[in-house]
Amino acid sequence: MLSKKEQRLRRARQTRIRIAQQDVARLTVNRTNLHIYAAVISEDGGKVIASASTVEAEMRSALGGSGKGGNAAAAQIIGKRIAERAKAAGVEKVAFDRAGFAYHGRVKALAEAAREAGLQF
């Protein structure tokens, strides 16, 4: 029987296979109990175009200290920041890679904030 992490990674692998066929940049999300990370990765998967996370020093100070990045409000801020940075790098359209995580809570908040800030996916 597969562990919870192995199941998530299996789902993520299937999603990345489908995204690779689309030939578009990929917005990938990773979440932990304390933080959320987002990165826009190039079409070939070899280069990180833009990234944002709650680990960054200015984000930690804005959220009120370390360990405060594990909520939906922090995810919304990261969604806006990743969209701004991707647009500044010239990326308008991406495929959303939720890395096997369920589309609710923090992952959903990040995705909706990125869409509102102008990323198309």
Side-chain angles (χ1 to χ4, degrees):
M1 187 164 148
L2 296 175
S3 70
K4 191 172 182 178
K5 183 177 180 181
E6 290 169 336
Q7 290 174 356
R8 182 185 67 78
L9 293 175
R10 182 181 162 276
R11 288 190 303 268
R13 193 168 33 253
Q14 296 298 319
T15 302
R16 289 190 185 119
I17 290 169
R18 286 192 296 274
I19 289 173
Q21 295 171 350
Q22 296 177 6
D23 287 332
V24 295
R26 170 169 61 108
L27 171 60
T28 185
V29 175
N30 187 28
R31 67 176 175 83
T32 63
N33 288 338
L34 296 179
H35 297 287
I36 191 156
Y37 309 83
V40 176
I41 301 172
S42 64
E43 295 86 1
D44 60 359
K47 183 179 176 186
V48 175
I49 299 170
S51 66
S53 73
T54 55
V55 177
E56 297 170 359
E58 62 187 56
M59 279 303 304
R60 279 190 310 218
S61 63
L63 293 172
S66 63
K68 303 286 187 184
N71 56 29
Q76 285 180 331
I77 295 169
I78 295 300
K80 290 176 187 171
R81 289 174 67 95
I82 193 67
E84 291 167 359
R85 291 178 182 179
K87 289 173 68 175
V91 177
E92 294 286 331
K93 188 171 183 177
V94 295
F96 187 60
D97 178 8
R98 56 189 175 84
F101 295 108
Y103 186 79
H104 71 90
R106 291 186 283 159
V107 175
K108 183 177 180 181
L110 188 144
E112 289 176 352
R115 279 192 191 106
E116 289 174 6
L119 272 185
Q120 298 174 354
F121 56 94

